[in-house]
Amino acid sequence: MAEFDDYDMDDRDTGNTDTLNSETDAHDSADKAAENEEKSEYEDVCFICRRPESKTGKMFRLPNNISVCNDCMHKTMDTVSQFDYQGMLTNPAFTQELDNMAEKGFPNIRFVNIADLQGEGGIPNKQKLKKKKRKNEEQPVLDIRNIPAPHKIKASLDEYVVGQEHAKKVISVAVYNHYKRVATGTMDEIEIEKSNMLMVGPTGCGKTYLVKTLARLLDVPLAIADATSLTEAGYIGDDIESVVSKLLAAADNDVEKAERGIIFIDEIDKIAKKKNTTSRDVSGESVQQGMLKLLEGAEVEVPVGANSKNAMVPLATINTRNILFICGGAFPDLEDIIKERLTKQSSMGFNAELKDRYDKEKDLLTKVTVEDIKKFGMIPEFIGRLPIIFALEGLSKEMMVKVLKEPKNAILKQYQKLLELDEVKLEFADDALEAIAEKAMERETGARALRSIIEEFMLDIMYEIPKDDNIGKVTITRAYIEGTGGPVIDIRGNEVPEPETPRIPQVGRAAFQE
C-alpha cells in the first residue's frame, strides 16, 4: 500500500512537473512569437474594415487566421444580440446540448475561448493575414533651410506651364509660406495664419494643370477634389468631408502627414447660389456654408476610404488648421459682372465712358474684386476665408504656339515620340503651328482645343505611315492644316551618307541611332 502511495505521489509529481513544463514552454513560445511579431515588417489587418493594427490597436484573434478590430467586433456583437430573441445563446441548457452534439461527432460546431479571442490564451498563429508595415523610422521634421525658395518653385513650374507669371508667383509664395508655417508653428509667440487662395480663370488656361504640376514637385501630400459632386449632408452625393478624406488617402492614411497637406478644390464656381429658384439649394449655398469650418480650421471626422459616413466605415479625426486650401473655377459670365461694375458711371458729360469700352478687353478677369465674386453667387463668409484672389490670363495666339512646343511634355513632343517608335521623324513648320493656334482661338476652349485639332489632322498620318516602311520623315505644313494641301513626305535614302559631308541631314534609321 505504501509502495502504491509512493508510486501514486511520484506519478502525480511527475504529472505536475510535466504540466508546469508544458505551461512554461507555452509561455516561452508565446513570448518568442510576440518578439518575432514585433520584429516583423508586417502587421495584422482587420478582416472587416481592412485597417492595420497600428490604427485600430490590439485586435481579436479568431480561428482560421482572422483578425478583427475592437470596433468591428463590438458592432458584430451588437448586431448578433439583436437577433437573439429567445435568449438561446445565453441559455445554459441550449449551450450544454450543443456541447453534447459536438462530442457525438457533429461537424462544424466549435466554441471559441474568450481568452483566445483576446490573444492571451494561445500561441499566435504565424499563418495570419499580413500587410506590409510602414517603416518605424521617424519622419524628418521640416527644416527651414531645406524649404525650396519661391523662385525655385516658380522655375520648376516654368518647365511645364507657359505664361501665367503672376499666378505662378502667387502660388510659389503661398506654398513657401505654408512650408515655413508647418515647420515653425509659431514664431515669437505669434501664430501664423494660413492664406487660402481663390484662382479665377477662363477654361483651358491651365488652372488644374498648374496644381497637378505642383503636386509632382512637392513633398507634402496634395489632393485634388471636385466641387461638382458635393451636396449637403443627408442628400445623394459626396459629403463635404470627402475632400479631406482624399487628402488622407494621399497621405497613406497618416493623420499627422495629412494635417500639413494641400487641398485643391476644382470647379468651385459650380457651388454658387442658384438664382430664381424655389427648391432647396442642396448643392450650392448649403455646400458653401458647410465648407466654412474646413477652410478656417476645425476638427472634422473623416471617413477612411469612403465618400460618406456610414456605420461600417471607420472615422478619423483631422484638424484642418494647417491644411492649405486652393480653390479654382472658370466663373463663366463673370466678365459681364465686371464690365457692368466698370461702366456704372454716367454715359453723358465730359468724363463719360462708352458702353463698349471693355468689350474687346482680353484680360478682363484680372480686374476681378470681391464684390464681383459675391454678385456671382458666393456668400461673403466663404469669400472672407479665401483672402488671396487672383486671375489667370486667357491664352493668346503666341502663348498657344508656345504651349504646342515648349513644355517638357508638349503635345508635339508626344506625337514625335509616337512616330519615333516607328522610326519616322515628324516635324512641324512654323506657319503650321500658327495655323493650329488660330483654329484653337476660334473654338474658345483654351489649350484643350489644341489636342482636338491635332487629333483631326494626325489621324490620316498615323493610319498611313505604318503601311509603308520607306517613309522616313513627315513635315506638317500650313496648307495641310487649312485643308488646301498635304504633308511633305520624305522617303528613306537607300545610301548611307558619307562622313565627309556632315552638313547634309541624315534621314532614315541611322538618324535615330545617332
Side-chain angles (χ1 to χ4, degrees), residues 12 75 86 104 225 454:
R12 282 181 292 179
K75 291 177 183 178
Q86 304 298 328
K104 292 178 182 179
I454 295 179

Side-chain angles (χ1 to χ4, degrees), residues 355-372:
K355 289 293 184 182
D356 59 350
R357 176 181 176 182
Y358 298 100
D359 288 347
K360 297 182 180 180
E361 186 77 24
K362 293 183 179 179
D363 297 327
L364 196 59
L365 284 178
T366 57
K367 303 180 184 297
V368 65
T369 60
V370 175
E371 289 77 11
D372 300 329

Side-chain angles (χ1 to χ4, degrees), residues 425 427 473 490 493 495 497 501-508 511 514:
K425 192 174 182 180
E427 290 185 356
K473 181 181 177 181
D490 295 337
E495 298 179 0
T501 58
R503 295 184 179 180
I504 299 176
Q506 298 180 2
V507 180
E514 291 183 358

Side-chain angles (χ1 to χ4, degrees), residues 365-404:
L365 284 178
T366 57
K367 303 180 184 297
V368 65
T369 60
V370 175
E371 289 77 11
D372 300 329
I373 298 177
K374 190 187 304 181
K375 194 172 182 179
F376 183 83
M378 312 303 287
I379 61 177
E381 301 91 327
F382 184 83
I383 304 173
R385 288 165 172 80
L386 299 170
I388 301 178
I389 300 176
F390 61 96
L392 277 74
E393 304 171 0
L395 297 182
S396 61
K397 177 182 174 181
E398 293 75 14
M399 294 175 66
M400 289 280 194
V401 175
K402 291 182 179 179
V403 169
L404 283 171

Side-chain angles (χ1 to χ4, degrees), residues 217-235:
L217 304 176
L218 296 180
D219 288 333
V220 295
L222 190 146
I224 299 178
D226 196 350
T228 54
S229 60
L230 297 180
T231 56
E232 188 181 356
Y235 289 85

